[in-house]
Amino acid sequence: MTAEVYSNDYFGRLEDRDFAQDKTIERTWLIEEIIKPELPNIIDNVERCLEMLQSDQVFKIPISNGGSEYGNSPSVKGLVARQANKLVDFQALVKFPEFHKGRPIIFKKHPESHFPLQQIEDITSNLEKVLNRLEELEVTNNSDSFISSIGEILQLLTKSINLLQNPPRNLSFPDSNNQAMKQLFKDHESLCESTHHEISLEIVLFKNELCVDFRNLSKVTKKPWCGIDPQTGKSFSDKVKDQLTQDRSKNISDILKQNGVHIEQPTFINSFMSNFNTQWTTLPQAQYFLNRCVTFNNNVVIEINKVALTTM
């Protein structure tokens, strides 16, 4: 039996060893003998990922929540088509009982509209940078530069994973402000809005799924809850929530009184009258608005129904 001893190993006295040099030698050996031989396989895998993300093939995906358009529950049926980093088709028959008296609405992508999938765009950009770094590593002889580039690659991969595990807030309800609806459909306002309601559309990638969410939103018209500050873009309920967070010694009644809202006892008469008097409210009514109100697309809304669809 034979064994090859590591050529730079040292069997002399401990005090005669140069630990800094040993560390450098071991690091160089690890890079040259362990990591670099695996780079071609890693590069192939990254290239394969990029090919799939940038493929010209059109993937058509049916979407449905299983509901009937003739029943009294929300229903969505349609088709989504993706090509590379964009949606090239989107068709859906959507019905919410409270929206247009339950009449099904057809949402069909305008031929000239474009809806880029921002997450795929960002991931593709990250992987292209990763690929360039990996190709540079194959010819890099400086250990410090090699380690620095590995760190950059790991950061890019972590960012890409986070894009799928934690979709950006600007793509999700309510921060999206219905951008998907605005970009996909011409005359979207006539499609998704009525006097008292608005339909929102959210399209995001989550892990390995394309998620499509439709919401039926009721527009809040009662003052002061419907008010939005034009300078901050925040609603009255946002303002109250912020003040409650900033000063935890005060309760809801204190904050409302500071903002000129009179609190009445929750009797039937007072609850009824508070619907007409903009400066009156009962505490349960205030709690309801604080819990349910959402600032969305320059309106204050309350979510009535939601249909969540996922595709692989």
Side-chain angles (χ1 to χ4, degrees), residues 63-116:
I63 55 174
S64 174
N65 71 328
S68 171
E69 60 186 275
Y70 303 106
N72 293 322
S73 59
S75 69
V76 176
K77 293 181 180 179
L79 180 74
V80 178
R82 180 185 70 84
Q83 183 183 43
N85 60 357
K86 59 183 179 294
L87 292 186
V88 294
D89 195 12
F90 189 102
Q91 303 177 40
L93 185 66
V94 180
K95 189 202 74 172
F96 285 104
E98 299 84 0
F99 188 73
H100 285 322
K101 299 181 179 179
R103 176 168 55 87
I105 308 298
I106 298 175
F107 290 87
K108 183 176 177 61
K109 175 184 172 296
H110 190 267
E112 297 179 1
S113 66
H114 300 280
F115 187 76

Short mmCIF file of all heavy atoms in Angstrom, two decimals, residues 63-116:
data_model
loop_
_atom_site.label_atom_id
_atom_site.label_comp_id
_atom_site.label_asym_id
_atom_site.label_seq_id
_atom_site.Cartn_x
_atom_site.Cartn_y
_atom_site.Cartn_z
N ILE A 63 -55.76 28.80 -16.24
CA ILE A 63 -55.99 29.22 -14.86
C ILE A 63 -57.47 29.08 -14.55
O ILE A 63 -58.33 29.40 -15.37
CB ILE A 63 -55.54 30.68 -14.61
CG1 ILE A 63 -56.20 31.64 -15.61
CG2 ILE A 63 -54.03 30.80 -14.68
CD1 ILE A 63 -55.91 33.11 -15.33
N SER A 64 -57.77 28.58 -13.37
CA SER A 64 -59.17 28.42 -12.95
C SER A 64 -59.21 28.18 -11.45
O SER A 64 -58.33 27.52 -10.90
CB SER A 64 -59.82 27.24 -13.69
OG SER A 64 -61.12 27.00 -13.18
N ASN A 65 -60.23 28.73 -10.81
CA ASN A 65 -60.42 28.45 -9.39
C ASN A 65 -61.46 27.36 -9.17
O ASN A 65 -61.81 27.04 -8.03
CB ASN A 65 -60.83 29.72 -8.64
CG ASN A 65 -62.25 30.16 -8.96
OD1 ASN A 65 -62.73 29.95 -10.08
ND2 ASN A 65 -62.94 30.76 -8.00
N GLY A 66 -61.97 26.80 -10.27
CA GLY A 66 -62.94 25.72 -10.16
C GLY A 66 -64.37 26.19 -9.92
O GLY A 66 -65.28 25.37 -9.82
N GLY A 67 -64.57 27.50 -9.83
CA GLY A 67 -65.92 28.02 -9.60
C GLY A 67 -66.72 28.08 -10.88
O GLY A 67 -66.18 28.09 -11.99
N SER A 68 -68.03 28.13 -10.72
CA SER A 68 -68.93 28.20 -11.88
C SER A 68 -69.35 29.64 -12.12
O SER A 68 -69.66 30.38 -11.19
CB SER A 68 -70.18 27.35 -11.64
OG SER A 68 -71.14 27.58 -12.64
N GLU A 69 -69.35 30.03 -13.39
CA GLU A 69 -69.76 31.39 -13.73
C GLU A 69 -71.25 31.60 -13.52
O GLU A 69 -71.75 32.72 -13.58
CB GLU A 69 -69.40 31.70 -15.18
CG GLU A 69 -70.06 30.79 -16.19
CD GLU A 69 -69.57 31.04 -17.60
OE1 GLU A 69 -70.13 31.95 -18.24
OE2 GLU A 69 -68.65 30.33 -18.04
N TYR A 70 -71.98 30.50 -13.29
CA TYR A 70 -73.43 30.61 -13.09
C TYR A 70 -73.81 30.55 -11.61
O TYR A 70 -74.97 30.71 -11.27
CB TYR A 70 -74.14 29.49 -13.85
CG TYR A 70 -73.83 29.49 -15.33
CD1 TYR A 70 -72.99 28.53 -15.87
CD2 TYR A 70 -74.36 30.47 -16.17
CE1 TYR A 70 -72.68 28.52 -17.22
CE2 TYR A 70 -74.06 30.48 -17.52
CZ TYR A 70 -73.22 29.51 -18.04
OH TYR A 70 -72.92 29.51 -19.38
N GLY A 71 -72.85 30.32 -10.73
CA GLY A 71 -73.15 30.24 -9.31
C GLY A 71 -73.08 31.60 -8.64
O GLY A 71 -72.95 32.65 -9.29
N ASN A 72 -73.13 31.59 -7.31
CA ASN A 72 -73.11 32.83 -6.54
C ASN A 72 -71.76 33.10 -5.90
O ASN A 72 -71.63 34.01 -5.08
CB ASN A 72 -74.19 32.78 -5.44
CG ASN A 72 -75.59 32.77 -6.02
OD1 ASN A 72 -75.86 33.46 -7.01
ND2 ASN A 72 -76.48 31.99 -5.41
N SER A 73 -70.77 32.31 -6.24
CA SER A 73 -69.43 32.50 -5.68
C SER A 73 -68.49 33.05 -6.75
O SER A 73 -68.76 32.92 -7.95
CB SER A 73 -68.89 31.17 -5.14
OG SER A 73 -68.83 30.21 -6.17
N PRO A 74 -67.39 33.68 -6.35
CA PRO A 74 -66.44 34.22 -7.33
C PRO A 74 -65.87 33.11 -8.21
O PRO A 74 -65.66 31.98 -7.75
CB PRO A 74 -65.35 34.84 -6.46
CG PRO A 74 -66.00 35.09 -5.14
CD PRO A 74 -67.00 34.00 -4.96
N SER A 75 -65.65 33.43 -9.47
CA SER A 75 -65.07 32.44 -10.38
C SER A 75 -64.14 33.12 -11.36
O SER A 75 -64.38 34.26 -11.78
CB SER A 75 -66.16 31.68 -11.14
OG SER A 75 -66.82 32.52 -12.06
N VAL A 76 -63.08 32.41 -11.71
CA VAL A 76 -62.11 32.89 -12.70
C VAL A 76 -61.71 31.70 -13.57
O VAL A 76 -61.34 30.65 -13.07
CB VAL A 76 -60.85 33.49 -12.05
CG1 VAL A 76 -59.83 33.88 -13.12
CG2 VAL A 76 -61.20 34.71 -11.20
N LYS A 77 -61.81 31.89 -14.88
CA LYS A 77 -61.33 30.88 -15.83
C LYS A 77 -60.60 31.62 -16.95
O LYS A 77 -61.08 32.66 -17.42
CB LYS A 77 -62.50 30.08 -16.42
CG LYS A 77 -63.22 29.19 -15.42
CD LYS A 77 -64.35 28.42 -16.09
CE LYS A 77 -65.07 27.53 -15.09
NZ LYS A 77 -66.19 26.79 -15.73
N GLY A 78 -59.46 31.07 -17.35
CA GLY A 78 -58.74 31.76 -18.41
C GLY A 78 -57.47 31.07 -18.82
O GLY A 78 -57.25 29.88 -18.54
N LEU A 79 -56.61 31.85 -19.46
CA LEU A 79 -55.36 31.34 -20.02
C LEU A 79 -54.28 32.41 -19.90
O LEU A 79 -54.52 33.58 -20.18
CB LEU A 79 -55.56 30.96 -21.50
CG LEU A 79 -54.34 30.40 -22.24
CD1 LEU A 79 -54.07 28.97 -21.79
CD2 LEU A 79 -54.57 30.44 -23.75
N VAL A 80 -53.10 31.97 -19.48
CA VAL A 80 -51.94 32.85 -19.41
C VAL A 80 -50.85 32.25 -20.29
O VAL A 80 -50.63 31.03 -20.26
CB VAL A 80 -51.42 32.99 -17.96
CG1 VAL A 80 -50.17 33.87 -17.93
CG2 VAL A 80 -52.49 33.59 -17.07
N ALA A 81 -50.18 33.08 -21.08
CA ALA A 81 -49.08 32.61 -21.93
C ALA A 81 -47.83 33.42 -21.63
O ALA A 81 -47.86 34.65 -21.64
CB ALA A 81 -49.46 32.73 -23.40
N ARG A 82 -46.74 32.69 -21.37
CA ARG A 82 -45.46 33.35 -21.06
C ARG A 82 -44.42 32.98 -22.11
O ARG A 82 -44.32 31.84 -22.54
CB ARG A 82 -44.94 32.92 -19.69
CG ARG A 82 -43.60 33.57 -19.32
CD ARG A 82 -43.04 33.04 -18.02
NE ARG A 82 -42.59 31.66 -18.11
CZ ARG A 82 -41.38 31.30 -18.56
NH1 ARG A 82 -40.53 32.20 -19.00
NH2 ARG A 82 -41.05 30.02 -18.58
N GLN A 83 -43.67 33.99 -22.52
CA GLN A 83 -42.53 33.78 -23.40
C GLN A 83 -41.34 34.54 -22.82
O GLN A 83 -41.39 35.76 -22.68
CB GLN A 83 -42.82 34.28 -24.82
CG GLN A 83 -41.69 34.03 -25.81
CD GLN A 83 -42.00 34.60 -27.18
OE1 GLN A 83 -42.51 35.71 -27.30
NE2 GLN A 83 -41.71 33.83 -28.22
N ALA A 84 -40.31 33.79 -22.45
CA ALA A 84 -39.13 34.39 -21.82
C ALA A 84 -39.54 35.20 -20.60
O ALA A 84 -40.15 34.67 -19.68
CB ALA A 84 -38.35 35.22 -22.83
N ASN A 85 -39.26 36.51 -20.61
CA ASN A 85 -39.51 37.33 -19.42
C ASN A 85 -40.75 38.21 -19.54
O ASN A 85 -40.82 39.26 -18.93
CB ASN A 85 -38.29 38.21 -19.14
CG ASN A 85 -37.99 39.14 -20.30
OD1 ASN A 85 -38.65 39.09 -21.33
ND2 ASN A 85 -36.99 39.99 -20.14
N LYS A 86 -41.73 37.76 -20.33
CA LYS A 86 -42.93 38.59 -20.49
C LYS A 86 -44.16 37.71 -20.70
O LYS A 86 -44.05 36.56 -21.13
CB LYS A 86 -42.77 39.56 -21.66
CG LYS A 86 -42.51 38.89 -23.00
CD LYS A 86 -42.29 39.92 -24.09
CE LYS A 86 -42.01 39.26 -25.44
NZ LYS A 86 -40.73 38.52 -25.46
N LEU A 87 -45.31 38.29 -20.39
CA LEU A 87 -46.58 37.65 -20.71
C LEU A 87 -47.00 38.09 -22.10
O LEU A 87 -47.09 39.28 -22.38
CB LEU A 87 -47.66 38.04 -19.70
CG LEU A 87 -47.51 37.53 -18.26
CD1 LEU A 87 -48.73 37.90 -17.44
CD2 LEU A 87 -47.28 36.03 -18.21
N VAL A 88 -47.23 37.13 -22.97
CA VAL A 88 -47.62 37.45 -24.34
C VAL A 88 -49.12 37.28 -24.56
O VAL A 88 -49.64 37.68 -25.61
CB VAL A 88 -46.83 36.58 -25.35
CG1 VAL A 88 -45.35 36.94 -25.30
CG2 VAL A 88 -47.02 35.09 -25.07
N ASP A 89 -49.79 36.68 -23.59
CA ASP A 89 -51.25 36.57 -23.70
C ASP A 89 -51.84 36.42 -22.30
O ASP A 89 -51.22 35.84 -21.41
CB ASP A 89 -51.65 35.37 -24.56
CG ASP A 89 -53.12 35.42 -24.99
OD1 ASP A 89 -53.74 36.50 -24.82
OD2 ASP A 89 -53.63 34.41 -25.49
N PHE A 90 -53.02 36.98 -22.14
CA PHE A 90 -53.74 36.86 -20.87
C PHE A 90 -55.22 37.02 -21.17
O PHE A 90 -55.65 38.06 -21.67
CB PHE A 90 -53.28 37.93 -19.87
CG PHE A 90 -53.83 37.74 -18.49
CD1 PHE A 90 -53.06 37.19 -17.48
CD2 PHE A 90 -55.15 38.09 -18.18
CE1 PHE A 90 -53.56 37.01 -16.20
CE2 PHE A 90 -55.67 37.91 -16.92
CZ PHE A 90 -54.87 37.36 -15.92
N GLN A 91 -55.98 35.98 -20.89
CA GLN A 91 -57.42 36.01 -21.10
C GLN A 91 -58.08 35.40 -19.87
O GLN A 91 -57.64 34.37 -19.37
CB GLN A 91 -57.82 35.21 -22.34
CG GLN A 91 -57.15 35.67 -23.63
CD GLN A 91 -57.53 34.79 -24.81
OE1 GLN A 91 -58.68 34.37 -24.94
NE2 GLN A 91 -56.56 34.51 -25.67
N ALA A 92 -59.12 36.06 -19.40
CA ALA A 92 -59.81 35.53 -18.22
C ALA A 92 -61.27 35.99 -18.21
O ALA A 92 -61.58 37.12 -18.58
CB ALA A 92 -59.12 35.99 -16.94
N LEU A 93 -62.12 35.08 -17.80
CA LEU A 93 -63.53 35.39 -17.56
C LEU A 93 -63.70 35.44 -16.05
O LEU A 93 -63.56 34.43 -15.36
CB LEU A 93 -64.43 34.31 -18.18
CG LEU A 93 -65.95 34.57 -18.10
CD1 LEU A 93 -66.33 35.78 -18.95
CD2 LEU A 93 -66.72 33.34 -18.56
N VAL A 94 -63.99 36.63 -15.54
CA VAL A 94 -63.98 36.87 -14.10
C VAL A 94 -65.38 37.27 -13.64
O VAL A 94 -66.03 38.11 -14.26
CB VAL A 94 -62.98 37.99 -13.73
CG1 VAL A 94 -62.97 38.24 -12.23
CG2 VAL A 94 -61.58 37.62 -14.22
N LYS A 95 -65.80 36.65 -12.53
CA LYS A 95 -67.11 37.00 -11.98
C LYS A 95 -67.01 37.12 -10.46
O LYS A 95 -66.53 36.21 -9.78
CB LYS A 95 -68.15 35.94 -12.33
CG LYS A 95 -69.58 36.36 -11.98
CD LYS A 95 -70.50 35.18 -11.82
CE LYS A 95 -70.22 34.45 -10.52
NZ LYS A 95 -71.21 33.40 -10.21
N PHE A 96 -67.45 38.28 -9.97
CA PHE A 96 -67.63 38.49 -8.54
C PHE A 96 -69.09 38.87 -8.32
O PHE A 96 -69.61 39.74 -9.04
CB PHE A 96 -66.72 39.61 -8.02
CG PHE A 96 -65.28 39.22 -7.89
CD1 PHE A 96 -64.34 39.64 -8.83
CD2 PHE A 96 -64.85 38.43 -6.83
CE1 PHE A 96 -63.02 39.29 -8.71
CE2 PHE A 96 -63.52 38.07 -6.71
CZ PHE A 96 -62.60 38.49 -7.64
N PRO A 97 -69.77 38.26 -7.36
CA PRO A 97 -71.21 38.51 -7.18
C PRO A 97 -71.55 39.98 -6.98
O PRO A 97 -72.60 40.45 -7.44
CB PRO A 97 -71.55 37.69 -5.92
CG PRO A 97 -70.52 36.62 -5.87
CD PRO A 97 -69.27 37.22 -6.43
N GLU A 98 -70.67 40.74 -6.29
CA GLU A 98 -70.98 42.14 -5.99
C GLU A 98 -70.57 43.10 -7.10
O GLU A 98 -70.93 44.28 -7.06
CB GLU A 98 -70.29 42.58 -4.68
CG GLU A 98 -70.70 41.79 -3.45
CD GLU A 98 -69.91 40.50 -3.30
OE1 GLU A 98 -69.05 40.22 -4.17
OE2 GLU A 98 -70.16 39.76 -2.33
N PHE A 99 -69.80 42.63 -8.07
CA PHE A 99 -69.29 43.52 -9.12
C PHE A 99 -70.20 43.42 -10.35
O PHE A 99 -70.36 42.35 -10.94
CB PHE A 99 -67.86 43.13 -9.49
CG PHE A 99 -67.18 44.10 -10.43
CD1 PHE A 99 -66.76 45.34 -9.98
CD2 PHE A 99 -66.99 43.77 -11.76
CE1 PHE A 99 -66.14 46.23 -10.84
CE2 PHE A 99 -66.36 44.65 -12.62
CZ PHE A 99 -65.94 45.89 -12.16
N HIS A 100 -70.77 44.57 -10.74
CA HIS A 100 -71.70 44.60 -11.88
C HIS A 100 -72.80 43.54 -11.75
O HIS A 100 -73.13 42.85 -12.72
CB HIS A 100 -70.95 44.43 -13.19
CG HIS A 100 -70.18 45.64 -13.63
ND1 HIS A 100 -70.64 46.92 -13.48
CD2 HIS A 100 -68.95 45.75 -14.21
CE1 HIS A 100 -69.75 47.78 -13.95
NE2 HIS A 100 -68.71 47.10 -14.38
N LYS A 101 -73.30 43.40 -10.51
CA LYS A 101 -74.41 42.49 -10.22
C LYS A 101 -74.10 41.04 -10.61
O LYS A 101 -74.99 40.28 -11.02
CB LYS A 101 -75.69 42.96 -10.93
CG LYS A 101 -76.15 44.34 -10.49
CD LYS A 101 -77.43 44.75 -11.20
CE LYS A 101 -77.88 46.14 -10.73
NZ LYS A 101 -79.12 46.57 -11.42
N GLY A 102 -72.83 40.67 -10.51
CA GLY A 102 -72.45 39.29 -10.79
C GLY A 102 -72.28 38.96 -12.25
O GLY A 102 -72.12 37.79 -12.62
N ARG A 103 -72.29 39.97 -13.11
CA ARG A 103 -72.13 39.71 -14.55
C ARG A 103 -70.67 39.37 -14.85
O ARG A 103 -69.76 40.10 -14.45
CB ARG A 103 -72.56 40.94 -15.35
CG ARG A 103 -72.35 40.82 -16.85
CD ARG A 103 -73.07 41.94 -17.58
NE ARG A 103 -72.68 43.25 -17.09
CZ ARG A 103 -71.63 43.93 -17.55
NH1 ARG A 103 -70.87 43.41 -18.51
NH2 ARG A 103 -71.35 45.13 -17.07
N PRO A 104 -70.40 38.26 -15.56
CA PRO A 104 -69.01 37.90 -15.89
C PRO A 104 -68.36 38.96 -16.77
O PRO A 104 -68.99 39.50 -17.69
CB PRO A 104 -69.16 36.57 -16.65
CG PRO A 104 -70.48 36.03 -16.23
CD PRO A 104 -71.36 37.23 -16.00
N ILE A 105 -67.12 39.27 -16.48
CA ILE A 105 -66.36 40.27 -17.22
C ILE A 105 -65.22 39.58 -17.95
O ILE A 105 -64.50 38.76 -17.37
CB ILE A 105 -65.79 41.36 -16.28
CG1 ILE A 105 -66.90 41.94 -15.39
CG2 ILE A 105 -65.11 42.45 -17.07
CD1 ILE A 105 -68.01 42.63 -16.14
N ILE A 106 -65.04 39.91 -19.22
CA ILE A 106 -63.97 39.32 -20.02
C ILE A 106 -62.74 40.24 -19.99
O ILE A 106 -62.82 41.41 -20.38
CB ILE A 106 -64.41 39.10 -21.48
CG1 ILE A 106 -65.58 38.12 -21.53
CG2 ILE A 106 -63.24 38.58 -22.31
CD1 ILE A 106 -66.16 37.93 -22.93
N PHE A 107 -61.64 39.71 -19.51
CA PHE A 107 -60.37 40.43 -19.51
C PHE A 107 -59.48 39.79 -20.58
O PHE A 107 -59.10 38.62 -20.47
CB PHE A 107 -59.67 40.33 -18.15
CG PHE A 107 -60.36 41.11 -17.06
CD1 PHE A 107 -61.39 40.53 -16.32
CD2 PHE A 107 -59.99 42.41 -16.78
CE1 PHE A 107 -62.02 41.24 -15.31
CE2 PHE A 107 -60.62 43.13 -15.77
CZ PHE A 107 -61.64 42.54 -15.04
N LYS A 108 -59.17 40.55 -21.61
CA LYS A 108 -58.35 40.04 -22.72
C LYS A 108 -57.22 41.02 -23.00
O LYS A 108 -57.47 42.20 -23.23
CB LYS A 108 -59.20 39.84 -23.98
CG LYS A 108 -58.44 39.23 -25.15
CD LYS A 108 -59.37 38.97 -26.32
CE LYS A 108 -58.61 38.44 -27.53
NZ LYS A 108 -57.95 37.15 -27.26
N LYS A 109 -56.01 40.52 -22.97
CA LYS A 109 -54.83 41.36 -23.18
C LYS A 109 -54.89 42.05 -24.53
O LYS A 109 -55.19 41.43 -25.55
CB LYS A 109 -53.57 40.51 -23.08
CG LYS A 109 -52.27 41.26 -23.39
CD LYS A 109 -51.10 40.31 -23.36
CE LYS A 109 -49.83 40.99 -23.85
NZ LYS A 109 -49.90 41.40 -25.27
N HIS A 110 -54.59 43.34 -24.53
CA HIS A 110 -54.52 44.09 -25.78
C HIS A 110 -53.29 43.65 -26.55
O HIS A 110 -52.21 43.48 -25.98
CB HIS A 110 -54.45 45.60 -25.49
CG HIS A 110 -54.63 46.44 -26.70
ND1 HIS A 110 -53.56 46.89 -27.45
CD2 HIS A 110 -55.75 46.92 -27.31
CE1 HIS A 110 -54.02 47.60 -28.46
NE2 HIS A 110 -55.34 47.64 -28.40
N PRO A 111 -53.40 43.44 -27.88
CA PRO A 111 -52.26 42.93 -28.66
C PRO A 111 -50.99 43.77 -28.54
O PRO A 111 -49.88 43.24 -28.64
CB PRO A 111 -52.80 42.94 -30.10
CG PRO A 111 -54.28 42.87 -29.96
CD PRO A 111 -54.61 43.60 -28.70
N GLU A 112 -51.14 45.06 -28.35
CA GLU A 112 -49.97 45.93 -28.29
C GLU A 112 -49.44 46.15 -26.87
O GLU A 112 -48.43 46.82 -26.69
CB GLU A 112 -50.30 47.29 -28.93
CG GLU A 112 -50.65 47.20 -30.41
CD GLU A 112 -51.01 48.55 -31.00
OE1 GLU A 112 -50.95 49.55 -30.23
OE2 GLU A 112 -51.33 48.62 -32.19
N SER A 113 -50.14 45.62 -25.90
CA SER A 113 -49.70 45.84 -24.51
C SER A 113 -48.55 44.90 -24.17
O SER A 113 -48.38 43.83 -24.75
CB SER A 113 -50.87 45.60 -23.55
OG SER A 113 -51.27 44.25 -23.57
N HIS A 114 -47.75 45.34 -23.22
CA HIS A 114 -46.59 44.55 -22.78
C HIS A 114 -46.63 44.43 -21.26
O HIS A 114 -46.88 45.41 -20.56
CB HIS A 114 -45.29 45.22 -23.21
CG HIS A 114 -45.15 45.40 -24.69
ND1 HIS A 114 -44.77 44.38 -25.53
CD2 HIS A 114 -45.36 46.48 -25.48
CE1 HIS A 114 -44.74 44.82 -26.78
NE2 HIS A 114 -45.10 46.09 -26.78
N PHE A 115 -46.38 43.23 -20.79
CA PHE A 115 -46.29 43.04 -19.35
C PHE A 115 -45.03 42.24 -19.04
O PHE A 115 -45.03 41.01 -19.08
CB PHE A 115 -47.52 42.33 -18.79
CG PHE A 115 -47.51 42.27 -17.28
CD1 PHE A 115 -47.82 43.40 -16.53
CD2 PHE A 115 -47.16 41.11 -16.61
CE1 PHE A 115 -47.79 43.37 -15.15
CE2 PHE A 115 -47.13 41.07 -15.23
CZ PHE A 115 -47.45 42.20 -14.50
N PRO A 116 -43.94 42.94 -18.74
CA PRO A 116 -42.70 42.23 -18.40
C PRO A 116 -42.79 41.62 -17.01
O PRO A 116 -43.38 42.20 -16.10
CB PRO A 116 -41.64 43.35 -18.44
CG PRO A 116 -42.41 44.60 -18.13
CD PRO A 116 -43.79 44.40 -18.71
#
